[in-house]
Amino acid sequence: MPNAAISRREFDEISASIIKRWQISCVYNDKKRTLNPYKLINNNEIWYLLADDFGVLKNFTLSKLSEIKITQNEFSLNKEFLARIENNAQNWFSNTTFEVVLEIKSEAVPYFKRRKILPNYKIISDENTLKIISPTYLRDNFSEILRWYLKDI
């Protein structure tokens, strides 16, 4: 079920607008917007709309959308955005990224090599410990990885 501030009907209409590539007119953070919707995302039981807002791919908290109207104005999908969505492993989108370098304890190296814990990472050293680099990993999701694997990093 969608967030309480949005009705099931509105949720279904937004879903349909994604499939039909129809723009959505709404108010978000007291600002009137026209969005090109790409995807509905559920992270930790909170629904987000991934949409193009004047050429920038952004997450919008669904419960903060108001005055939602499906315009039936068709938009063209941005191929760059589609590629970002396809290659995104953490199901969250942000333009704020940073580089992460981890040094993994030798006893945990086989586990990190076997399991893809970070998206788009590359090994930069493989001696007694494993050093891996993830070039554009999101700050918000990185803390979750640290919490689970801190003893090995």
Side-chain angles (χ1 to χ4, degrees):
M1 183 65 190
N3 302 51
I6 187 170
S7 72
R8 181 64 194 202
R9 180 188 54 78
E10 289 171 317
F11 185 87
D12 290 343
E13 286 176 353
I14 291 170
S15 296
S17 72
I18 292 168
I19 294 166
K20 295 175 181 179
R21 292 183 296 172
W22 286 347
Q23 291 182 321
I24 296 173
S25 172
C26 64
V27 173
Y28 188 82
N29 288 339
D30 299 320
K31 182 178 175 185
K32 188 155 179 63
R33 299 172 189 263
T34 300
L35 304 174
N36 298 335
Y38 277 77
K39 184 176 181 180
L40 285 167
I41 300 168
N42 187 301
N43 276 336
N44 298 319
E45 299 181 24
I46 297 173
W47 282 98
Y48 299 90
L49 172 64
L50 180 64
D52 173 356
D53 183 25
F54 287 103
V56 180
L57 196 58
K58 296 180 182 178
N59 296 292
F60 295 89
T61 307
L62 217 52
S63 63
K64 293 182 180 181
L65 294 177
S66 63
E67 301 178 35
I68 300 167
K69 292 183 180 67
I70 309 304
T71 68
Q72 296 188 7
N73 295 333
E74 195 170 334
F75 67 93
S76 297
L77 295 172
N78 180 315
K79 290 180 183 179
E80 178 188 325
F81 291 167
L82 291 174
R84 282 182 61 196
I85 293 166
E86 179 73 25
N87 295 319
N88 186 291
Q90 62 263 10
N91 207 24
W92 185 256
F93 297 82
S94 174
N95 294 320
T96 306
T97 59
F98 65 104
E99 185 173 86
V100 175
V101 178
L102 299 176
E103 185 171 330
I104 312 300
K105 290 181 181 177
S106 59
E107 56 269 16
V109 167
Y111 182 73
F112 274 78
K113 282 185 171 181
R114 186 174 66 244
R115 187 159 186 242
K116 190 172 185 176
I117 294 172
L118 294 172
N120 305 320
Y121 73 89
K122 68 178 178 179
I123 296 173
I124 56 176
S125 174
D126 191 3
E127 295 168 12
N128 292 334
T129 59
L130 178 69
K131 287 187 182 178
I132 59 176
I133 187 168
S134 184
T136 55
Y137 199 66
L138 296 172
R139 188 178 316 251
D140 296 338
N141 291 355
F142 185 68
S143 62
E144 185 176 320
I145 289 198
L146 282 180
R147 183 177 54 221
W148 287 102
Y149 300 103
L150 194 56
K151 67 182 183 344
D152 299 318
I153 299 173

